[in-house]
Amino acid sequence: MFKSFWTGIFVLGLLAVSPARADVVGDFSRLEDTWSVELAPDGKSLAIGCQYQAKRSVCVLPIDSDIEPGVYPAPDNARIIDFYWGSNNHVIIVTDMVDTVGTTNGAQMFRFTRALSFDARSGDSAWLLKDYMNFSFTAGVRSINIDDDDRVVMSLLQRTGQLQRSQRARTRRSENDLYYHTFDVSLDSGGARKRKGYGGRIVDVLYDERGEDVIRTIHDENNGEFEIRDADNRLIYKDDDRIVQPLSVLARASDSPDFLVWSAGESVSGYARGVWLVNFEDGTFSRIKVGDFEVTGHGPVIDRGTNRAVGFRYSDDLAGQIFVDEQLAAYQSSLQQAMPDRRIRLQSWSYDRSRFVVVAESVGQPVEYFLFSPDSGELMIVGAENEAAAARELGQVLSVSYQAADGLDIPAYLTLPAGKTVEDGPFPILLMPHGGPDASDDASYDWWAQAYAASGYAVLKPNFRGSNRYGAAFREAGFGEFGGKMVTDVTDGYDWLVEQGIGQPGGACIVGASYGGYSALMAPLLRPAQIKCAISVNGVTDPVAQMGRYRQTNRSVVSYWEQYMGSSYASEEFHASITPADRTREYRTPVLLIHGDEDTRVRFDQFEKFRKAAGDASWLTSYVMRGEDHFLYTQNARTEVLRESLKFLEARHPVTDSAAIPAQTGGTGHAATD
């Protein structure tokens, strides 16, 4: 029965292995050959995140269904960011796109996240909630509704001044009103039938697998009242004086009416940050234990067929899962025994659990996807993340730690130059802080770091204080250190590498994106003797202005930024001290500034402000990625980042080893200054 399945793959030619090439930029900027795999509810078809014409796409392949193999490319001016099955015949595809909209303050750039339904039988597609496309987020599928193959339950949260149905029909309410709408939405046409409207400051509703509401979350930002109620409006939990929403309902428990919530932290909710189990009857909170494993900052694994949490995600060196569902735990255990050198995750499964998509991952290696049939024990490969990279010798990834200047232990991951060991050092060093900053790096395959490793650099990715995954005390050690110790933790890693004989003396270069790009700009100001050059991609250059964008619209985001930065009402001198754009006169270190002109997370004006402040300074090289956003989802964006950064590094921090490989030419960006 699998003959036609595999024939379909090779006929499409989308998942075939490409030959190994000597070109670093070409191999590592390449989009993932397979970036996700989802099994249809009946287990008879696969949807595969693939690439088509160098763009993220979705391929649909039959196992033993009558669906024809096909591919759905990204719509014009949109990027595919997620997908899953809405029925046995429909794949729901989530897209991001950027558009300029006229407002009372002039033309402004907005991000629109939308979902469409792709009919795998006919090849037709339809935008879901098609009559509400003026809303910025129309991808809120809340329940697949297993009793109706043709419709899903979706939601819209309407704030004051948003358009209700068309650009000619506005809903006038008081300045602070919210209105939560739910709809039955056709997977064939995208048309919506109003299901229910919730007033009274309802900000979220949790649904079961049949589309019935179970839990309602109510929050008033103005007086701080917060409530969780059931579908009959019975009060389960209440709190006061919570201007920032303290809790978010995640999912129902696997085998009871109880439910899971995420606490934003003790200072916000009264409960420690992470996942808690709430008793449906009396609203009491308890921590969750699975064997000896205590669930804290770990998100739930959701069974789409039941809309319940059946396990939890965690991360150490690699992403993992632990299941409370005994059957899923047994399947995972047997697969782990069959592949002991890999971390096994269950990606998706048919509703009857007769087939599974399995992810297998090794440290520093591209992941592979398998189709598993428990009854027969058959395990067949479906695809791999990056065939070209897998065919190369990749840099070894090591878990290391070192002490910061104040004695705090800093965990990190070190990627060695391809084909080298620690004993082959010292190497030219690149420091690569992560974004977030409430995030962390791990030992998974990283196209960006591996590209530098293939070029002869050793790449250190520190999880500086303030990173998540290492407990509350470590995360909170970063509070107030946004432009201070969170940055010097990174540069302290270079000193350690030199002491160990791994890093070449004389200085390192630093490269990062988003907060990592900010860190790259601050490092030469704080540690000029250690930093030879800095590369900032989509980086924050004025954190105070970045926080100010949300002051009137999202208090939770402002609270998040203030935890790390300090109060937005701190002195002007303090704000200037953590603002690279205000300190351009101090730079002597060469800086490469790269930014996408459609970035709505760290807006393009952050790039422009820094460039204007620097003027025609000889130390600055700037480059604009035309038509690209924050997340480097496209092959063109990755090509431009690698090409421009490797060219910059070759001039400022060259690799003297003969293994250095020149960058490829190409791309569609614009060198603003060189």
Side-chain angles (χ1 to χ4, degrees), residues 198-228:
Y198 302 86
R201 309 300 298 172
I202 289 182
V203 295
D204 196 16
V205 180
L206 180 69
Y207 292 86
D208 66 16
E209 71 276 18
R210 290 181 166 80
E212 299 300 324
D213 60 334
V214 180
I215 302 292
R216 303 171 184 176
T217 303
I218 302 164
H219 181 228
D220 191 320
E221 293 180 340
N222 299 297
N223 60 27
E225 291 181 356
F226 178 83
E227 297 178 348
I228 299 176

Side-chain angles (χ1 to χ4, degrees), residues 248-253 260-262 275 288 295-303 308-314 320-323:
S248 300
V249 177
L250 300 175
R252 293 181 297 161
L260 310 177
V261 298
W262 175 268
V275 178
I288 305 164
V295 177
T296 52
H298 311 93
V301 178
I302 306 295
D303 186 324
R308 290 181 177 272
V310 292
F312 297 91
R313 302 185 301 272
Y314 69 92
Q321 298 167 318
I322 186 165
F323 286 99

Side-chain angles (χ1 to χ4, degrees), residues 404-598:
D406 63 0
L408 183 67
D409 286 334
I410 305 299
Y413 292 94
L414 175 65
T415 304
L416 296 175
K420 304 294 185 180
T421 66
V422 169
E423 288 72 24
D424 295 319
F427 308 109
I429 298 299
L430 296 182
L431 303 173
M432 199 170 188
H434 61 73
D438 185 10
S440 58
D441 270 320
D442 61 18
S444 60
Y445 169 75
D446 180 343
W447 61 270
W448 200 347
Q450 286 289 352
Y452 293 144
S455 302
Y457 296 95
V459 183
L460 185 71
K461 300 196 296 182
N463 284 325
F464 45 82
R465 72 190 71 200
S467 302
N468 62 25
R469 188 155 71 82
Y470 298 99
F474 188 84
R475 178 176 176 269
E476 291 168 7
F479 290 0
E481 297 292 344
F482 190 86
K485 291 181 180 180
M486 287 168 60
V487 178
T488 57
D489 285 350
V490 177
T491 57
D492 289 342
Y494 169 67
D495 294 336
W496 175 79
L497 288 170
V498 173
E499 292 171 3
Q500 300 300 310
I502 300 171
Q504 292 177 354
C509 284
I510 182 170
V511 54
S514 197
Y515 175 80
Y518 168 82
S519 181
L521 293 174
M522 286 298 299
L525 297 174
L526 300 179
R527 296 289 187 269
Q530 295 169 304
I531 302 301
K532 294 174 66 174
C533 66
I535 302 170
S536 173
V537 178
N538 295 336
V540 174
T541 70
D542 184 345
V544 179
Q546 175 74 6
M547 178 172 60
R549 285 179 50 204
Y550 301 100
R551 182 157 305 283
Q552 301 301 320
T553 59
N554 196 322
R555 293 177 180 175
S556 295
V557 174
V558 173
S559 174
Y560 165 81
W561 278 86
E562 285 192 323
Q563 284 182 322
Y564 283 99
M565 284 176 50
S567 172
S568 56
Y569 300 104
S571 68
E572 291 184 6
E573 291 78 12
F574 172 75
H575 284 163
S577 73
I578 63 170
T579 301
D582 287 345
R583 300 180 63 179
T584 55
R585 293 182 180 179
E586 301 176 46
Y587 281 93
R588 301 295 181 268
T589 302
V591 171
L592 171 61
L593 199 68
I594 300 176
H595 216 105
D597 64 356
E598 291 189 358

Side-chain angles (χ1 to χ4, degrees), residues 7 17 162 218 238 287 304 397 402 404 408 431 473 532 539 552 607 645:
T7 301
V17 178
Q162 278 188 309
I218 302 164
K238 181 178 175 62
R287 280 297 197 189
R304 291 195 187 276
V397 179
Y402 57 89
L408 183 67
L431 303 173
K532 294 174 66 174
Q552 301 301 320
F607 169 90
S645 63

Side-chain angles (χ1 to χ4, degrees), residues 264-311:
E266 189 163 356
S267 63
V268 178
S269 70
Y271 293 93
R273 187 174 186 265
V275 178
W276 292 82
L277 180 68
V278 181
N279 185 287
F280 182 78
E281 297 301 328
D282 61 19
T284 56
F285 283 54
S286 61
R287 280 297 197 189
I288 305 164
K289 292 196 72 173
V290 185
D292 295 330
F293 181 86
E294 183 173 56
V295 177
T296 52
H298 311 93
V301 178
I302 306 295
D303 186 324
R304 291 195 187 276
T306 64
N307 240 17
R308 290 181 177 272
V310 292

Side-chain angles (χ1 to χ4, degrees), residues 8 50 65 78 110 239 267 281 333 368 406 411 505 513 527 530 556 668:
C50 55
S65 71
F110 289 91
D239 201 356
S267 63
E281 297 301 328
S333 178
E368 291 183 319
D406 63 0
R527 296 289 187 269
Q530 295 169 304
S556 295
T668 60

